[in-house]
Every structure is written in C-alpha cells, then in structure tokens.
Amino acid sequence: GSISVRGGSLRNAKIKSVSGTVDVSAERANSARIGTTDGDIALSVDRFREGKIELRSASGTIRLTLGSESAAWIEMPPRGADINPSPEQAERRGFAVSEGRRSLSYRVGAGFARVYISNTGGRTDLRVD
C-alpha cells in the first residue's frame, strides 16, 4: 500500500512499498533508503547537507525536492530515463551537471551529501526550492 511520512528529521530511515506511493516530507535528512517496486516516490527535504539518500523505483515517478539551503550530489545511471530538468536545462535551475559513461550527476550547492537515484522505467523530477 501507500506510505506517507511527515516529520522533522530522517535518520537511518528505511521506507519500502511493493505497490504503492511513498510520500515523504522532512525538515532535515541524514540517511534514508526509500523504495517502491510499482509506485511513485515523492521526497521533499528542506535542508540536506550531509549523509546519503537512496531512492529506487522500478516503474514509477521519482520526485526529489531539496530546499534552497541544501547542498548535495545527485547521481543516477545514464540509462535514457526521462529526467527533468534535462542536463541542458539544469544550470538555469540551480544545478551543475556532469555526464559520464557510468553516471549522470546533478550538483546543488557545495556540500558532500549524496543522493543516489535508480529508476528503470519511470520519470525522475529534480527541483531546488
């Protein structure tokens, strides 16, 4: 089923659904693994500056929204997935982009927090608010 989480801080969170939507909103994040096999993931974090977040979906949409005080390195496989913004549009939206053979990386701010996104059949939306 679907999962909705609202809270102050994500620390060592593991959230998984087989066939539902996962909707998570937090003020801060340090470590989280969020996944769904057949559903969408929406993660909104006001401030993410350290730690690691993993977002995995087999066929749904992944929406990641980071607050303007966040500083993170967002990495995903360069598999022709539907990614918004495209690398060409990303710089106008506050991202620095690096395209390699094994990964597509979007960077926001100057921090070392890491986000890994794996989305085999769906859309990935990235946003800085």
Side-chain angles (χ1 to χ4, degrees):
S2 295
I3 300 170
S4 180
V5 177
R6 301 283 181 263
S9 182
L10 288 177
R11 291 194 181 272
N12 299 319
K14 293 179 184 172
I15 303 166
K16 184 164 176 132
S17 173
V18 174
S19 63
T21 298
V22 179
D23 185 6
V24 179
S25 179
E27 292 173 18
R28 297 177 189 269
N30 182 288
S31 175
R33 294 178 73 185
I34 301 171
T36 182
T37 304
D38 185 22
D40 297 338
I41 296 172
L43 173 62
S44 177
V45 178
D46 294 336
R47 183 177 167 100
F48 179 54
R49 298 185 72 85
E50 62 183 54
K52 182 178 179 181
I53 294 175
E54 292 182 42
L55 304 173
R56 297 180 183 270
S57 176
S59 62
T61 296
I62 295 177
R63 288 185 181 88
L64 172 64
T65 303
L66 298 176
S68 61
E69 292 186 37
S70 296
W73 187 267
I74 303 161
E75 184 177 336
M76 60 197 92
R79 284 186 227 175
D82 186 6
I83 300 169
N84 177 40
S86 68
E88 296 78 25
Q89 300 167 330
E91 290 182 3
R92 293 188 299 251
R93 298 189 188 181
F95 294 99
V97 181
S98 172
E99 291 186 79
R101 286 186 48 188
R102 296 182 178 227
S103 67
L104 173 61
S105 300
Y106 286 64
R107 187 176 182 119
V108 59
F112 297 100
R114 298 187 72 80
V115 180
Y116 178 77
I117 298 174
S118 175
N119 195 0
T120 26
R123 179 179 170 95
T124 301
D125 294 319
L126 308 175
R127 204 163 95 183
V128 176
D129 279 345

